[in-house]
């Protein structure tokens, strides 16, 4: 069975499982920590996002995070993230977000026509994916035409049935085998393609996985497929052949980070949490601290379920503070390779 996490907008995300063509995790990794399953993929937690693997929570620890990391000579892993100055990062942020329009869907639910996305919507969604990967110090990904076509059918199926499922039954209206395949390989949203990318990165309702975000920031991501209608979208994320090789990836990452990325959608990472993910560093014993101007900032730290874009991951939800422009220092100890890095949050407003 696939473990499925849901959230209101609505989104669905799934882990890599045995039989997936890649994804960078094994069957053992994909099922570690799972305490809830969904047999038909329909999900029962669209509002709460509680399905799909609970983990231990450490409350009141002082906070932490990292960028696409590397190991230094003193065996401390330091964040990757962006290497340019604030002006360069802000220029990229504003240029890539200058046009967030959803384009035109040419299909039709009534006739079960998947159609296509016109007006550059698919390319704009890809631009946002690569913008977020740029901030995290990760390589860009490309689109695969076959995966685009299959996710287009996936989006039609979700729209036609007014529901989200990673395992849609043949009895569904507008059922397509290609669409069902894509449903089992994709982040899925009840929103259109472009705006859903921002929501995936905040990932509300996914407190035990942050799976949408982790897939977009995965070492193995790409090529991807993007399909959408006016009322649903699918992003093919499993089975990638990417090889970014980051020892860890954090959000927010090390380096310059636009404050506008804290809440790019209707909710904020201050609510869902900063995060660290890794394929090689076991974060289960992580002791996390964040300071600003030498003052500790409290967070709740949660071990996230394995297999959602990375083997290991933690979230760190701010307690009594919000992410504003300034310099943050992050340290993670209690793990095999300690992590330390600095985040410079800047205002990229015009």
């Amino acid at each position: 069975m696939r473990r499925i996490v849901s959230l209101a907008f609505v989104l669905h995300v799934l882990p890599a499982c045995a039989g997936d063509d890649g994804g960078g995790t094994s069957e053992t990794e994909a099922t570690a920590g799972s305490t809830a399953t969904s047999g038909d993929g329909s999900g029962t937690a669209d509002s709460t996002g509680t399905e799909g693997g609970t983990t231990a929570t450490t409350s009141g620890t002082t906070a932490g995070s990292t960028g696409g990391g590397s190991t230094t000579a003193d065996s401390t892993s330091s964040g990757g993230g962006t290497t340019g100055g604030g002006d360069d990062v802000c220029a990229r942020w504003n240029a890539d977000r200058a046009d967030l329009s959803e384009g035109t869907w040419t299909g039709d639910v009534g006739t079960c026509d998947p159609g296509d996305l016109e007006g550059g919507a698919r390319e704009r969604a890809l631009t946002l994916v690569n913008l977020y990967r740029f901030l995290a110090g990760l390589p860009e990904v490309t689109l695969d035409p076959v995966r685009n076509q299959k996710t287009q059918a996936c989006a039609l199926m979700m729209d036609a049935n007014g529901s989200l499922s990673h395992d849609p039954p043949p009895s569904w209206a507008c059922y397509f085998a290609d669409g069902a395949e894509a449903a089992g390989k994709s982040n899925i949203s009840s929103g259109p393609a472009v705006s859903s990318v921002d929501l995936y990165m905040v990932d509300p309702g996914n407190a035990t996985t942050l799976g949408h975000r982790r897939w977009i920031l995965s070492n193995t991501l790409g090529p991807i497929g993007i399909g959408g209608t006016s009322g649903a979208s699918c992003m093919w994320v499993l089975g990638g052949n990417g090889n970014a090789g980051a020892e860890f990836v954090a959000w927010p990452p090390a380096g310059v980070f636009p404050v506008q990325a804290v809440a790019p959608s209707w909710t904020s990472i201050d609510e869902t949490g900063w995060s660290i993910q890794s394929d090689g560093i076991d974060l289960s014993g992580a002791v996390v601290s964040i300071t600003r101007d030498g003052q500790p900032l409290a967070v709740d730290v949660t071990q996230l379920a394995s297999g959602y874009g990375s083997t290991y991951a933690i979230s760190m939800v701010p307690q009594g503070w919000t992410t504003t422009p300034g310099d943050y220092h992050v340290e993670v100890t209690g793990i095999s390779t300690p992590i330390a890095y600095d985040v410079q949050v800047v205002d990229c407003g015009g």
Side-chain angles (χ1 to χ4, degrees), residues 16-339:
C17 297
D20 289 328
D21 54 344
T25 53
S26 69
E27 182 179 15
T28 301
E29 292 163 350
T31 57
S34 176
T35 59
T37 60
S38 175
D40 64 2
S42 60
T44 57
D46 285 353
S47 298
T48 63
T50 56
E51 202 176 343
T54 55
T55 53
T57 301
T58 304
S59 300
T61 312
T62 52
S65 181
T66 69
S70 59
T71 304
T72 61
D74 62 358
S75 298
T76 298
S77 196
S78 57
T82 56
T83 57
D87 290 345
D88 293 338
V89 170
C90 285
R92 171 74 182 263
W93 175 265
N94 290 322
D96 286 359
R97 300 180 65 84
D99 182 359
L100 300 178
S101 60
E102 298 289 350
T104 302
W105 175 47
T106 65
D108 181 73
V109 170
T111 60
C112 292
D113 176 11
D116 205 354
L117 289 173
E118 293 187 346
R122 179 175 289 116
E123 291 72 20
R124 283 191 287 277
L126 176 66
T127 294
L128 291 184
V129 169
N130 284 327
L131 171 62
Y132 286 122
R133 288 178 64 84
F134 158 76
L135 291 173
L138 296 169
E140 293 190 350
V141 296
T142 60
L143 292 168
D144 178 271
V146 174
R147 292 179 177 182
N148 289 340
Q149 176 264 319
K150 292 181 177 182
T151 53
Q152 197 60 43
C154 170
L156 170 68
M157 291 168 59
M158 305 302 143
D159 196 352
N161 290 275
S163 183
L164 300 178
S165 173
H166 289 296
D167 191 18
S171 59
W172 261 28
C174 299
Y175 181 88
F176 289 90
D178 283 349
E181 179 189 5
K185 307 278 188 184
S186 297
N187 286 351
I188 300 174
S189 170
S190 64
V194 178
S195 58
S196 289
V197 179
D198 284 340
L199 198 62
Y200 289 146
M201 290 302 298
V202 180
D203 222 353
N206 266 342
T208 62
T209 67
L210 292 181
H212 304 91
R213 181 193 301 175
R214 287 164 61 192
W215 275 118
I216 289 176
L217 298 180
S218 175
N219 276 323
T220 63
L221 187 69
I224 65 174
I226 297 172
T229 68
S230 56
S233 57
C234 302
M235 179 188 293
W236 188 307
V237 293
L238 268 68
N241 58 19
N243 187 26
E247 189 170 22
F248 66 90
V249 179
W251 198 254
V256 178
F257 184 77
V259 72
Q260 285 76 14
V262 172
S265 187
W266 51 265
T267 186
S268 165
I269 64 172
D270 287 334
E271 299 176 17
T272 61
W274 296 30
S275 61
I276 302 171
Q277 64 193 71
S278 177
D279 294 320
I281 302 175
D282 186 346
L283 298 168
S284 59
V287 178
V288 184
S289 70
I290 293 178
T291 59
R292 178 173 176 174
D293 299 327
Q295 298 300 310
L297 302 174
V299 294
D300 281 345
V301 179
T302 297
Q303 296 290 326
L304 301 178
S306 182
Y308 295 80
S310 68
T311 307
Y312 309 104
I314 58 175
S315 68
M316 301 148 288
V317 180
Q319 300 295 297
W321 60 278
T322 58
T323 307
T324 57
D327 296 331
Y328 298 79
H329 180 69
V330 181
E331 293 187 8
V332 184
T333 58
I335 54 180
S336 60
T337 304
I339 292 169

